[in-house]
Amino acid sequence: MSDLSQLIVAPILLPLITAAIMLLLGEKHRHIKARLNLLSTFSGLAIAACLLLWVRTQGQAASIGVYLPGNWPAPFGIVLVVDHLSALLLTLTGVIGFSALLFARARWDGAGASFHALFQIQLMGLYGAFLTADLFNLFVFFEVLLAASYGLLLHGSGRARVRAGLHYIAINLFASSLFLIGAAMLYGVTGTLNMADLALKIPLVPEADRGLLHAGAAILAMAFLVKAGIWPLNFWLVPAYASASAPVAALFAIMTKVGLYAVLRLWTLLFSGQAGASAHFGGEWLVYGGLVTLAVAAVSILAAQRLERMAALSILVSAGTLLGAVGFAQAALTGAALFYLVNSTLALCALFLLAELVERSRSANEAPLDEEEDAMPPPLESLHPPKGINLDDEQQVVIGQIIPWTMAFLGLSFIACALLIIGMPPLSGFVGKLNLISALFNPLGLGVPAEQPLSAAGWGLVALLILSGLASLIAFGRVGIQRFWKPEERPSPVLRRYECLPIVILLGLCLILSFKAEPLLRYTQDTAASLQAPDAYIKAVMAAQPIPGPTSRDVQVQP
């Protein structure tokens, strides 16, 4: 890892330096800051992709990179770690961030102050949360990304955003308090906050202190589950995400995955099968909490009328599916869940961006657009039908009527998003759900009989996966008819390149996953295998040594 060791800290330093430069520029030079933001975000994505390729090409035992920012060994100093899981989520964050920023360039980056600086700080918090290897710095990066998200949620002002923002801030401050309490209790019992060191010390905790250990872990898990969107602690999520501006809501699509990542990382590391009396502590709570979240979200999506709320509720459907699957502690199921995580995050990000354009198509948006020379060509509904075409009583073309290209783009994109989220074939959403169901029935692989029959919770997850897809099919079908099929006299929206391009990128990636799913499935299965056997992670962190400084013999005394 010597050739890439310095690259591990780059995803954190790059947005930090970029945000500092933007703040020095002030509120002027918006175009300069926008270009700098795009360059920095794309560079962060490229760095994350390099780390992903590195962990993929290395052997299973050597694919963990460790960086010591303070040059102190674990558990005394700060540690940054990149492995299969963190590299995957770093790359996913880079893709989501770059797509959301492209969309914001059309109009939203000028709707408030310090958008670009807040955007970079948000990315820094996300990257740091996925890379850090100790609880204290995980709390620090959580607070960094939350502080930036407060400003981004209120970006563009409006009563709905302010009201939802107050609830969002209050519940996240409460979750942060739980984080501190839980971390303090774990430190009191074990004497450390380093994740790898915690994994070594938890099996050695005396029986008299094990109740305090479990209480601290439960309180800490509550903080993560609030951010992951588990029911009933997710009442804040739908109003906040539905009220946020489109690029901010798209970036927030990865926010719930931070809570899920923390649960997955700490649960498989601290309470693995090697944790003694604490092995798999809380697993049933994750399973049944995920099932209830999935069921409530599936019912709620049937009542949703606005596309933004449907997208926010679909995030809860995804959160319930992932939490329930992770709680089974099966490598095959966890690998399928990680594939589903990638696909659903990309699709939901595209849906949040698309929702604004679809709503704009319902009523002409009179907000001025800057740089009109970048606007897309005008819609084609002004073309008159040629002579000889049959017209109805209202002088409308009966057959061969021209569909404006803007509505065609929105309609096809909506169909693609709906199919991905519902899980209909042949797109990657179906591949993800099919692999989840297959892993439930065949945890040891196809053709290998399971040691035990499928449990009641397993049957419940299979049923809810099917029923939630049916509920989403009904909801998206209803909204699609109202938005695209119902005849209404309204002008087609004016779309710009910056608004269309990110949607094309996100749906294009999902299309690639639909036909080239095997490489990602192999990667996620390797990731799940490493999570279920955390010895390599622990050894890599604890064995990392500081870089030795110059000795007296190396220093040349100047005369």
Side-chain angles (χ1 to χ4, degrees):
M1 190 63 184
S2 58
D3 55 333
L4 288 180
S5 60
Q6 305 300 320
L7 201 60
I8 298 176
V9 74
I12 300 173
L13 291 181
L14 181 63
L16 176 62
I17 296 172
T18 305
I21 295 174
M22 291 176 179
L23 291 175
L24 290 175
L25 291 174
E27 292 306 316
K28 299 180 181 179
H29 312 294
R30 182 169 66 90
H31 296 294
I32 296 177
K33 292 195 294 184
R35 292 184 177 92
L36 181 60
N37 198 355
L38 278 172
L39 177 61
S40 177
T41 304
F42 183 77
S43 300
L45 171 59
I47 293 171
C50 289
L51 294 173
L52 179 72
L53 291 175
W54 182 86
V55 299
R56 185 58 184 147
T57 55
Q58 300 299 308
Q60 184 70 27
S63 58
I64 298 176
V66 181
Y67 181 78
L68 305 175
N71 210 31
W72 283 81
F76 306 107
I78 299 172
V79 183
L80 301 178
V81 179
V82 60
D83 63 347
H84 279 73
L85 180 60
S86 57
L88 176 65
L89 290 175
L90 285 175
T91 307
L92 184 60
T93 301
V95 172
I96 298 299
F98 186 71
S99 301
L101 184 57
L102 275 179
F103 191 92
R105 280 288 290 120
R107 56 187 294 170
W108 278 109
D109 61 339
S114 303
F115 173 83
H116 294 290
L118 288 171
F119 195 93
Q120 285 296 308
I121 294 173
Q122 175 86 55
L123 289 179
M124 183 189 74
L126 289 168
Y127 287 142
F130 294 138
L131 286 172
T132 187
D134 64 90
L135 288 180
F136 179 78
N137 286 285
L138 182 61
F139 172 78
V140 171
F141 286 118
F142 260 82
E143 293 307 300
V144 168
L145 67 90
L146 287 175
S149 70
Y150 300 153
L152 290 175
L153 178 59
L154 298 175
H155 181 76
S157 69
R159 179 180 297 180
R161 291 194 183 100
V162 173
R163 182 171 58 248
L166 290 175
H167 296 162
Y168 176 80
I169 293 172
I171 190 65
N172 279 286
L173 288 177
F174 172 71
S176 298
S177 301
L178 293 178
F179 195 137
L180 284 177
I181 295 171
M185 294 177 68
L186 288 180
Y187 183 80
V189 174
T190 62
T192 183
L193 289 177
N194 182 276
M195 297 178 188
D197 199 32
L198 278 168
L200 293 175
K201 291 186 176 180
I202 282 179
L204 307 177
V205 172
E207 190 64 30
D209 295 335
R210 196 161 297 278
L212 187 62
L213 170 71
H214 290 173
I219 294 174
L220 188 64
M222 289 294 291
F224 298 142
L225 292 174
V226 167
K227 294 175 174 61
I230 195 170
W231 187 87
L233 304 176
N234 54 16
F235 61 90
W236 56 273
L237 190 146
V238 175
Y241 283 38
S243 301
S245 61
V248 172
L251 183 61
F252 282 7
I254 195 69
M255 287 273 286
T256 54
K257 307 308 182 288
V258 179
L260 177 72
Y261 165 82
V263 170
L264 180 59
R265 171 70 74 193
L266 292 175
W267 189 59
T268 56
L269 192 60
L270 308 187
F271 300 105
S272 65
Q274 304 171 6
S278 298
H280 303 306
F281 168 72
E284 291 186 357
W285 287 96
L286 288 179
V287 171
Y288 290 106
L291 294 181
V292 174
T293 303
L294 179 55
V296 173
V299 173
S300 300
I301 203 171
L302 290 172
Q305 300 296 323
R306 293 175 50 230
L307 198 53
E308 296 91 340
R309 290 187 64 86
M310 291 180 59
L313 287 167
S314 296
I315 284 185
L316 296 182
V317 171
S318 173
T321 302
L322 293 169
L323 287 171
V326 165
F328 282 92
Q330 297 176 2
L333 191 56
T334 302
L338 291 174
F339 180 91
Y340 174 83
L341 180 151
V342 174
N343 171 79
S344 63
T345 305
L346 293 174
L348 288 170
C349 178
L351 183 60
F352 274 117
L353 300 179
L354 185 66
E356 179 185 321
L357 306 183
V358 172
E359 293 302 322
R360 192 189 303 171
S361 71
R362 299 185 66 202
S363 59
N365 196 329
E366 298 178 356
L369 294 175
D370 296 332
E371 302 177 7
E372 289 299 332
E373 66 272 10
D374 291 336
M376 299 297 284
L380 302 178
E381 67 255 50
S382 60
L383 296 178
H384 297 287
K387 295 182 179 181
I389 298 297
N390 295 328
L391 304 177
D392 60 12
D393 294 338
E394 297 180 357
Q395 299 299 307
Q396 298 293 324
V397 182
V398 177
I399 58 173
Q401 191 169 8
I402 297 175
I403 300 176
W405 78 266
T406 52
M407 297 306 297
F409 172 78
L410 294 178
L412 292 175
S413 299
F414 175 82
I415 292 173
C417 287
L419 291 178
L420 286 166
I421 294 171
I422 294 168
M424 295 285 289
L427 299 184
S428 54
F430 172 75
V431 177
K433 286 195 173 182
L434 181 63
N435 276 274
L436 284 170
I437 295 175
S438 176
L440 283 168
F441 285 106
N442 304 278
L444 302 179
L446 292 175
V448 181
E451 297 178 357
Q452 296 179 354
L454 190 61
S455 64
W459 281 108
L461 182 56
V462 171
L464 287 174
L465 283 172
I466 298 173
L467 293 177
S468 64
L470 179 60
S472 298
L473 175 63
I474 296 172
F476 277 99
R478 182 185 67 245
V479 171
I481 291 173
Q482 293 175 349
R483 300 296 188 271
F484 298 101
W485 194 258
K486 184 179 179 181
E488 292 184 11
E489 293 295 333
R490 58 177 184 267
S492 295
V494 177
L495 305 184
R496 303 177 63 189
R497 294 182 181 90
Y498 283 135
E499 293 174 324
C500 299
L501 182 58
I503 297 175
V504 172
I505 291 174
L506 293 167
L507 294 181
L509 290 174
C510 292
L511 186 63
I512 292 173
L513 291 180
S514 302
F515 297 98
K516 296 291 183 179
E518 185 179 359
L520 181 59
L521 279 170
R522 286 201 304 266
Y523 184 92
T524 56
Q525 290 297 335
D526 290 343
T527 303
S530 64
L531 289 173
Q532 298 299 328
D535 289 341
Y537 182 96
I538 298 171
K539 291 178 180 178
V541 173
M542 301 307 294
Q545 295 297 319
I547 300 175
T551 62
S552 57
R553 291 177 297 178
D554 298 326
V555 177
Q556 297 180 359
V557 180
Q558 298 295 331

